[in-house]
Amino acid sequence: MSLLREIQASLISDEPNLGGVLLKLRLLAARLGSDILSDWVKHEMSGYPNDVDLPDYRVIGVSFKGTFSGAFGSGINNAPIPTALVEQHAGEHWSNHRVRQGIAAIDDLVKSAQEPGSLGLDCSNLILLLQGKIYEDYACNDIRGSISRSSLVQIQNEVKSRALELTIELEKSVPAAAEIVLVPEGMENIDEGEVSKIINQTIYGNYTEISNSGDSAHIEVKAIQGNSETFEKTLEESGISQESAKELSEIVKAESPESKDEPLGSKAKQWLLSNLKKAEDGTWKVGISVATDVIKNAVKGFYGL
């Protein structure tokens, strides 16, 4: 049986071993020469570092309840706290929890939570941020945040679903991928560009072409220090639209880098977050990962970092 079909058989079994499936997917990624798939599998197994963007399915909602005390012994116990107020006073990252643990850790969390149930989050810092902003004249004594067990189960299901969909699409669009076996005896040439397109479409929802983002990727940025025209041309040659290149150029000229390691200033960061959707809808002729790398390297070059 081919490696791809072994993965499919494991995924549709009654109790799939997701860890074993991911190991086989990592081997398949190596056979296909896909850094993108290899990175996704590695992060799903070992966890996502803080500097790596999370797939949407790993961002889950948090609910909050608090205990408040007032004058003359009055109090409010176990009171729901609206997430809108949490976001307003403390930031969106409190109400949307980023699950960066590897899949084995998520499995353990699911097993430790009773069904139906939830898991608590440390919200001690949130008490200070919301003090006096929930109930007028009431002190906030305690805040408890929780995420539902079902949200974690959904992460498990998303990984299984995307892995299965990926193998199905590879089988249809790259027939040679279905012939890869554990001990290869030679196989047809595989279109790595088509493989990358399918993986990005299935795993990340990015329907545009994207180059490998691993060690084999190479982005060349010319010497552009202080030269807006060359800066814009570099972005355009990489697939970013002329209009977007000019917009970013004006922002970069007007502000300074945040630091040597982080070339983007606050306005440039906001612009990038607002415009990355253009990589998804085809306005830019480049994928999200490569566009981000090109922009950061170009900004570094402009500032001479």
Side-chain angles (χ1 to χ4, degrees), residues 239-252:
I240 294 169
S241 68
Q242 183 180 21
E243 180 184 2
S244 296
K246 189 168 184 62
E247 284 179 3
L248 181 58
S249 177
E250 293 299 322
I251 293 172
V252 170

Side-chain angles (χ1 to χ4, degrees), residues 3-304:
L3 185 56
L4 186 143
R5 293 195 175 97
E6 281 188 35
I7 294 169
Q8 291 175 335
S10 298
L11 285 168
I12 63 175
S13 64
D14 292 336
E15 294 184 5
N17 177 357
L18 197 47
V21 168
L22 289 172
L23 285 173
K24 291 178 181 178
L25 267 176
R26 193 163 189 180
L27 179 58
L28 180 64
R31 295 280 194 266
L32 293 171
S34 173
D35 291 327
I36 300 170
L37 178 56
S38 180
D39 285 346
W40 178 69
V41 173
K42 179 177 67 177
H43 294 323
E44 285 297 334
M45 291 182 67
S46 304
Y48 286 80
N50 289 331
D51 59 348
V52 174
D53 290 337
L54 283 176
D56 290 343
Y57 60 83
R58 276 180 165 266
V59 181
I60 59 180
V62 184
S63 59
F64 299 93
K65 290 185 177 181
T67 300
F68 304 86
S69 61
F72 308 108
S74 61
I76 305 173
N77 296 320
N78 209 32
I81 301 175
T83 55
L85 284 178
V86 174
E87 291 182 5
Q88 179 183 346
H89 298 296
E92 176 272 340
H93 64 281
W94 278 100
S95 60
N96 290 304
H97 182 63
R98 274 73 176 169
V99 183
R100 294 189 174 273
Q101 295 96 325
I103 204 70
I106 293 175
D107 290 344
D108 284 342
L109 288 173
V110 169
K111 291 174 184 176
S112 66
Q114 295 182 353
E115 187 176 357
S118 61
L119 292 131
L121 299 176
D122 179 11
C123 296
S124 54
N125 290 332
L126 191 57
I127 296 175
L128 298 175
L129 296 172
L130 297 182
Q131 194 62 253
K133 297 172 181 174
I134 306 299
Y135 294 103
E136 190 175 354
D137 298 327
Y138 279 80
C140 179
N141 300 325
D142 180 53
I143 295 179
R144 298 174 301 283
S146 62
I147 56 177
S148 67
R149 178 183 183 276
S150 60
S151 296
L152 297 174
V153 172
Q154 184 60 30
I155 293 176
Q156 295 174 316
N157 289 336
E158 284 288 345
V159 174
K160 296 172 191 173
S161 175
R162 292 179 190 225
L164 181 60
E165 186 179 349
L166 169 63
T167 61
I168 292 170
E169 289 300 321
L170 284 173
E171 190 172 20
K172 287 193 300 185
S173 303
V174 188
E179 305 305 320
I180 297 174
V181 293
L182 189 60
V183 182
E185 298 177 355
M187 58 188 182
E188 300 176 30
N189 291 331
I190 290 177
D191 184 344
E192 293 186 6
E194 182 67 16
V195 170
S196 294
K197 179 179 178 181
I198 291 169
I199 292 168
N200 275 285
Q201 175 178 333
T202 306
I203 302 300
Y204 299 106
N206 178 10
Y207 286 76
T208 60
E209 293 284 352
I210 186 167
S211 301
N212 283 344
S213 58
D215 295 336
S216 61
H218 176 65
I219 301 170
E220 181 179 354
V221 177
K222 303 171 185 176
I224 58 176
Q225 186 171 356
N227 190 320
S228 298
E229 185 178 341
T230 306
F231 175 82
E232 293 171 22
K233 186 177 180 182
T234 299
L235 297 183
E236 290 173 36
E237 289 176 350
S238 301
I240 294 169
S241 68
Q242 183 180 21
E243 180 184 2
S244 296
K246 189 168 184 62
E247 284 179 3
L248 181 58
S249 177
E250 293 299 322
I251 293 172
V252 170
K253 282 192 297 183
E255 65 177 356
S256 302
E258 187 173 291
S259 67
K260 185 175 181 180
D261 295 327
E262 178 47 73
L264 301 181
S266 59
K267 291 182 180 178
K269 282 182 180 178
Q270 186 59 47
W271 179 92
L272 182 59
L273 289 173
S274 301
N275 283 270
L276 279 178
K277 61 180 179 290
K278 294 178 181 178
E280 293 185 5
D281 63 22
T283 302
W284 292 353
K285 306 304 179 185
V286 64
I288 291 176
S289 297
V290 174
T292 303
D293 288 342
V294 167
I295 287 170
K296 286 188 175 181
N297 284 336
V299 172
K300 276 187 176 181
F302 184 85
Y303 288 133

